Amino acid sequence: LLESVWKGLDSDNNNSVSFKELTVGLSLLCDGDPKEKARVQFRAMDADKSGFLDEGELLQLSKYRSYTMSAFF
């Protein structure tokens, strides 16, 4: 899960998360519009950066969504 979040925050794919990437990412996840939130989550889960989610990536997304939903209820 942490690796997926890291990949989603690392918007320039340089294997480091700058302060700007962190603040923009957290802002989008907390306050962004639903489409932008989905885009960030998709980018985080697209481990091979293919632009598509394969079965394993989709399963990981499902687990992530279940985990985040259970944290709020």
Side-chain angles (χ1 to χ4, degrees):
L1 179 62
L2 183 57
E3 183 178 343
S4 295
V5 172
W6 179 271
K7 288 177 183 179
L9 293 174
D10 183 18
S11 61
D12 60 6
N13 297 316
N14 69 349
N15 293 319
S16 65
V17 175
S18 69
F19 181 73
K20 181 179 178 181
E21 288 172 320
L22 178 63
T23 56
V24 168
L26 292 176
S27 176
L28 289 172
L29 289 174
C30 295
D31 300 322
D33 71 43
K35 284 184 182 180
E36 193 58 34
K37 287 180 184 181
R39 186 174 293 118
V40 169
Q41 289 177 358
F42 182 90
R43 191 173 69 227
M45 296 300 161
D46 184 17
D48 60 5
K49 303 298 180 200
S50 66
F52 300 93
L53 296 181
D54 62 30
E55 185 178 355
E57 292 166 335
L58 192 56
L59 180 60
Q60 187 68 21
L61 177 60
S62 171
K63 289 179 183 178
Y64 171 76
R65 297 288 291 178
S66 293
Y67 173 78
T68 56
M69 291 302 289
S70 68
F72 293 104
F73 297 104

